[in-house]
Amino acid sequence: MLLCYFEGSLFLMPELPEVETIARGLRRAILGRRILSVTLGKTDFIDDPAALEQHLPGRQIEAVERYGKFMLLRLSAVHGESRVASNGDAASASLLVHLGMTGQIAPSPAEKHTHVCLLLDDGRELRYTDARRFGRIAYLTKALLAEELTGFGADPLEVSKQEFAGRICGRRARIKALLLDQSVLRGVGNIYADESLWRARIHPARLGAKLSGKQAEILRRVLQDILRKAIVLRGSSISDFLDADGQPGEYQRHHRAYGREGKNCYRCKSLIRRAIVAGRSSYFCPRCQPSPRGFAALPLPGKSARKTKRRDAPPGSGQAPNAGKSLRRNGKSP
Ligand SMILES: [Zn+2]
């Protein structure tokens, strides 16, 4: 449910800093508000739409938390009512909100693609809009929530040196795959994985088991540093991401590897390259982040790739097999 299968730069899933940014905005905007009524539009991304209509009205939003890449709106017991609801321990229920790729949640005026609208007791409406509906919304009792949260790894902002090393260093999987694996760490996605690996000078295709304890600790520190800075800058705005106040983030200006194929490395001026690791486009510097033996980057798109091809191939022998594809993809990059 947390994986993004659309690698194109147009649709990226919000990662920890973006979700944290939205959660902070919502905390300022709706904490303590009571939900008066629920109106639903399309419901194919909602676990149990009837449960929202049945259990949300009358509930107060007591807390807004981020968990990995999704949010939990913690709900009070129903106003003036102490009995346990029919489906269990409703007193400590939560509304899970996962934004998918194009989801937004904010107290806002009517808009296209609004699929969940919660009328609040101050007259405003908390609206969930999502053009592509890859998000998810679920009303979860305490027991269902506990079940939902099993299997998630550590929060990268809180993980200790020992725990991080324990989760990474013994694994015969590529470090990029480990960073993206929500059962290892919760909240890291493609952007912040690439940025932290560049900062730590570790190639994304290296195996976790091949990292030294020192390298793992450097990676943990730069990952935390990058995530904290990105939160301060309200995340990265690459696709549709807007925070709870409808403002785009700023962190994309600080990207050093992600989306920079063919551009100069900020440290050594080598050209940033791209490779597919763990099924995802991964950006790295071939000099600062030496690759494991036998691992090849994709050919650079554009001029240099075509020049090389022309030099190597007899005239009229056709195109380089990957050049056109890479070129088109790159052309769409921000
Ligand atoms: Zn470099």
Side-chain angles (χ1 to χ4, degrees):
M1 103 187 156
L2 289 163
L3 287 174
C4 162
Y5 294 102
F6 289 76
E7 186 51 48
S9 53
L10 293 175
F11 296 104
L12 284 164
M13 190 160 287
E15 300 180 33
L16 187 155
E18 292 78 38
V19 179
E20 178 66 31
T21 299
I22 295 168
R24 289 180 181 190
L26 285 179
R27 243 169 258 152
R28 285 193 299 270
I30 61 164
L31 206 62
R33 297 268 61 92
R34 195 173 296 281
I35 299 164
L36 296 182
S37 66
V38 175
T39 311
L40 301 178
K42 295 203 167 123
T43 57
D44 52 355
F45 63 99
I46 301 174
D47 282 20
D48 178 2
L52 264 66
E53 294 174 317
Q54 189 188 343
H55 297 297
L56 293 188
R59 299 298 191 81
Q60 204 173 5
I61 300 163
E62 292 190 324
V64 180
E65 295 167 10
R66 176 190 58 77
Y67 193 91
K69 296 184 203 172
F70 56 84
M71 283 178 291
L72 295 171
L73 276 56
R74 302 283 189 169
L75 304 169
S76 71
V78 177
H79 186 54
E81 209 176 359
S82 57
R83 70 177 169 80
V84 172
S86 55
N87 66 339
D89 45 358
S92 46
S94 302
L95 189 67
L96 178 151
V97 178
H98 189 278
L99 297 170
M101 285 170 227
T102 51
Q104 289 170 15
I105 184 163
S108 61
E111 250 185 273
K112 243 177 35 168
H113 306 302
T114 294
H115 303 302
V116 178
C117 178
L118 309 180
L119 177 62
L120 304 177
D121 60 355
D122 61 357
R124 288 180 304 165
E125 290 176 333
L126 180 63
R127 290 174 174 268
Y128 179 83
T129 62
D130 191 344
R132 294 169 71 93
R133 302 199 306 284
F134 286 128
R136 179 182 169 215
I137 288 190
Y139 171 81
L140 300 173
T141 60
K142 190 178 181 182
L144 285 174
L145 178 63
E147 198 182 308
E148 182 78 31
L149 300 190
T150 56
F152 278 94
D155 189 293
L157 289 174
E158 292 161 11
V159 66
S160 69
K161 177 182 174 177
Q162 288 73 18
E163 192 183 4
F164 187 80
R167 286 174 176 274
I168 297 287
C169 292
R171 303 283 303 271
R172 299 215 33 99
R174 300 195 190 281
I175 184 62
K176 171 80 179 257
L178 291 169
L179 289 176
L180 296 181
D181 184 342
Q182 300 298 299
S183 71
V184 174
L185 291 173
R186 56 178 200 259
V188 180
N190 215 24
I191 295 177
Y192 299 100
D194 281 6
E195 290 301 307
S196 57
L197 289 169
W198 181 86
R199 277 271 295 277
R201 301 173 189 248
I202 296 170
H203 192 283
R206 292 277 302 279
L207 298 183
K210 297 273 186 181
L211 298 187
S212 67
K214 194 178 166 194
Q215 281 179 310
E217 176 57 5
I218 290 170
L219 179 59
R220 183 184 74 99
R221 285 179 179 221
V222 299
L223 175 60
Q224 293 187 338
D225 186 49
I226 284 169
L227 292 173
R228 289 201 187 99
K229 281 200 177 111
I231 291 170
V232 169
L233 293 171
R234 306 194 319 281
S236 299
S237 283
I238 296 225
S239 53
D240 295 359
F241 173 72
L242 297 173
D243 70 15
D245 304 318
Q247 297 297 314
E250 294 284 323
Y251 192 75
Q252 67 279 5
R253 292 183 196 169
H254 296 260
H255 290 176
R256 292 294 180 259
Y258 182 84
R260 299 193 67 249
E261 185 180 22
K263 293 184 178 152
N264 292 325
C265 172
Y266 278 88
R267 274 188 303 243
C268 76
K269 303 282 189 284
S270 298
L271 299 183
I272 295 288
R273 302 293 296 268
R274 185 170 68 94
I276 303 297
V277 183
R280 307 290 302 274
S281 265
S282 302
Y283 300 88
F284 61 95
C285 170
R287 189 188 281 178
C288 299
Q289 298 163 265
S291 73
R293 210 184 311 160
F295 189 87
L298 293 167
L300 278 169
K303 256 189 263 170
S304 53
R306 262 176 291 163
K307 253 186 216 160
T308 314
K309 190 68 201 168
R310 266 192 218 119
R311 223 184 294 131
D312 293 344
S317 68
Q319 280 187 319
N322 291 318
K325 201 178 168 198
S326 313
L327 188 63
R328 274 199 303 281
R329 290 180 69 116
N330 192 52
K332 278 185 186 171
S333 291

